[in-house]
Amino acid sequence: ASASVELRVKATTWQAWHLTSNENIAAPIVADRLQMPVAEVYVARSRVLKMLKEEVRRLEQEDEHEVSTTK
């Protein structure tokens, strides 16, 4: 799911999400590091999280479909 979403967003959007979510770096520090407004860091984080959840849901549905068609 991560690889799929990463390909669909801007590099800075992905970095903002990764740094705040995976590296646990505070949004103001990430904003300074990526030279973007703090609000934009929060928007990027939210957007990527939503896309990841949707992608996981889609992949789970694909798996369920594959299992049901192979029985």
Side-chain angles (χ1 to χ4, degrees):
S2 293
S4 175
V5 172
E6 185 177 4
L7 292 172
R8 294 173 17 216
V9 297
K10 292 181 191 175
T12 53
T13 299
W14 183 259
Q15 289 175 320
W17 174 79
H18 179 78
L19 292 171
T20 57
S21 297
N22 292 353
E23 303 291 328
N24 294 318
I25 299 172
I29 296 170
V30 172
D32 187 53
R33 189 180 291 183
L34 299 178
Q35 298 183 347
M36 59 195 297
V38 175
E40 198 172 313
V41 171
Y42 287 114
V43 169
R45 181 176 165 173
S46 176
R47 185 173 294 139
V48 170
L49 184 57
K50 180 182 177 189
M51 291 173 75
L52 284 168
K53 287 178 180 180
E54 289 171 352
E55 185 65 13
V56 167
R57 211 173 296 123
R58 186 188 69 76
L59 291 170
E60 287 174 343
Q61 288 174 346
E62 276 184 17
D63 284 348
E64 288 173 9
H65 178 68
E66 286 178 17
V67 169
S68 68
T69 57
T70 58
K71 286 184 177 180

